[in-house]
Structure formats: C-alpha cells, structure tokens
Amino acid sequence: MSKGTAVLFVVGGAVFMSFVGIFIRLIEHADGFQILLYRSISLSAMITLIICLKRRISPIKLIQSLDGNDLAIGISLSIAFTSYVFAILNTSVASALFILTASPLLAAFLAWAWVREVPHPFTWIAIAVACSGLFLMIGEGLNNGRTIGNLLSLVSAFAFATMLAIARKGGKTDILGGTFLGGLLAAAYGLVLSKLIGGGLIVERTDLMYMLLMGSFSIGGGIGLVAWGTPYVPAADDARRVHTLADRHSGALIGNSGRAH
C-alpha cells in the first residue's frame, strides 16, 4: 500500500470514529459498562469480518494467527476503548476529542524511543500547539468539575499512542488482529463490570441499536481503516491525522450538543 492510500484510509477512519460521541449522546438509559460491552461485541464482529475478507481466511485461522504483538496492541486498544467511553460520559465530546490530540506527542516520543523514528520538524510544531491547548483544556476541566473525564481522555490518548508505537515497532503490515483482541478484551471488561457493579445485561432496544451501530460502523469501520493504514504511515503523523480530522468533523456535527450529561 502506498503512503497516499494509507493516509486516505486513516482520514476515512477518522471520519467514521467522529460519530462515536454522537452515538453516546443518543443513548438514554444504558450505563458506561453496558455501552462498553455491546459496542465492543459489534466492534469485534466487524473487525472479524474485515480481517477475514482482507486475508481471505476463516475466523478459526484468524485466531490461530494471533501472536504476542497482537496481544500487546489489543491490551493498549482495550484500555483506549474503555477509558474513552467513560471520558465522554464525564466531560464534553469536544473536550475529550481535543485532549486526544495529545496522542501525536505521546506517539512521537514512544516511536522515537522504540523505533528511532524522528518526526518531521513541522510535526513537532503541530505537537507543541496541541500541547498548549491540552493544558488549557485540562485547566478548564478543573474549574468546571470535569477533571475525571479529562483525565480519562488523556489515558485514552496515551493508550492509543502506545498502540501506534507498538505497531511501528512490530513492523507488521496488518495489525487488525490486535484490534480484534482489543475489542474482545473491552467486551470482557464490560461483561464482568456490568454484572458486578453496573446495570446488568438488559438494555433498552433503542439504546442497544445505538451501541451496536457505534461498535460496528463508527469504531469497527473507523479503527479497521486506521489499523489497515497504520503500518504505512509514520506514527506521529498517523495519530495527528486521526485526531485532527475526528476533532474537526465532530465539531461540525455536534454543535452545542457536546455538553456532558
């Protein structure tokens, strides 16, 4: 895959993922653990379909092909998926997406340390601007009582950046296996926590529809495109394109609906 095609995949994935905040805001009754469970189930199903079509293999062959690198990517993504859900529930969509712009900074440092991949000078300038806004946003969260949500957004950014760096370090041309594992792990977290401290497994039909669409269309399709293009784009540039495009597109969509519940 050429770098230009990879960039198109990443940008397309960003547009898909920009709908996540909208879907979460449309959910009326389900709690965070239920959202995590059902969206992760449909996410895993969509990623399985993408992998099987791309590799022309069966689901059993997919499981047999997974390795330690896939597991490391999966753990990172499961943390990113989980923390992002609760970040959106505890702060505004706009704040969460803006804080995710920390991913280029984190990915750049991690890729430099692990892969010795030096970002373009213009990338460092963009990172500096993003960081200044990040500190302002976290400071605003302290004043508005959104500290937990903003900190969880930062956790999600770090986990996503770690995934990008691991992908570059592993040198794979296809990291969708790790994305599949990330969805399964996140679903397991949601299942256990829903039964132990959440609202159980029964949800409203409309909420279920939104959660399944979020996992399959927005997260599954978006992450699938990003993961497909990731190995062909430098880590810092990849993260920057994903979150900048998602931030802009979501801003246009949500308008004034970005307030936390």
Side-chain angles (χ1 to χ4, degrees):
M1 182 186 297
S2 67
K3 182 177 178 180
T5 301
V7 168
L8 289 178
F9 271 55
V10 171
V11 171
V15 173
F16 275 51
M17 288 188 287
S18 68
F19 286 91
V20 172
I22 306 299
F23 280 122
I24 290 181
R25 287 291 183 261
L26 289 172
I27 295 170
E28 296 183 355
H29 303 290
D31 62 31
F33 302 119
Q34 292 169 328
I35 293 173
L36 181 64
L37 169 61
Y38 289 107
R39 85 163 197 175
S40 297
I41 290 174
S42 59
L43 158 65
S44 298
M46 175 60 76
I47 293 297
T48 299
L49 177 62
I50 292 172
I51 294 174
C52 291
L53 290 175
K54 180 177 183 290
R55 301 182 186 177
R56 299 181 181 178
I57 60 174
S58 67
I60 294 178
K61 290 291 186 180
L62 160 62
I63 294 173
Q64 293 174 341
S65 70
L66 300 175
D67 57 22
N69 190 266
D70 292 318
L71 179 60
I73 291 172
I75 291 172
S76 296
L77 280 177
S78 69
I79 295 171
F81 294 154
T82 303
S83 54
Y84 185 66
V85 168
F86 290 95
I88 292 290
L89 293 175
N90 288 280
T91 190
S92 68
V93 176
S95 294
L97 286 173
F98 192 86
I99 290 174
L100 282 173
T101 58
S103 287
L105 173 66
L106 298 171
F109 278 115
L110 291 174
W112 174 79
W114 292 354
V115 193
R116 299 302 179 188
E117 184 178 277
V118 181
H120 190 280
F122 287 111
T123 301
W124 286 113
I125 295 173
I127 288 172
V129 173
C131 285
S132 63
L134 172 66
F135 290 123
L136 289 174
M137 190 65 70
I138 292 179
E140 180 184 349
L142 292 173
N143 295 327
N144 297 332
R146 296 174 176 175
T147 306
I148 297 298
N150 287 350
L151 289 177
L152 286 172
S153 298
L154 191 58
V155 170
S156 184
F158 181 81
F160 192 79
T162 301
M163 181 278 289
L164 292 172
I166 292 172
R168 299 297 294 176
K169 177 68 173 179
K172 283 192 170 185
T173 59
D174 183 341
I175 61 167
L176 290 170
T179 308
F180 165 74
L181 285 177
L184 284 186
L185 289 171
Y189 304 157
L191 175 63
V192 173
L193 294 173
S194 290
K195 293 179 70 67
L196 291 179
I197 60 177
L201 304 182
I202 306 300
V203 296
E204 296 285 339
R205 183 177 301 177
T206 302
D207 284 353
L208 178 61
M209 178 188 70
Y210 288 138
M211 289 185 284
L212 294 179
L213 282 173
M214 187 197 321
S216 59
F217 165 73
S218 188
I219 300 294
I223 288 291
L225 289 173
V226 171
W228 209 325
T230 289
Y232 304 93
V233 182
D237 291 344
D238 206 6
R240 173 174 56 81
R241 287 187 178 96
V242 169
H243 295 302
T244 298
L245 267 293
D247 193 12
R248 290 176 181 172
H249 192 68
S250 293
L253 287 171
I254 65 178
N256 295 323
S257 67
R259 296 183 297 273
H261 291 311

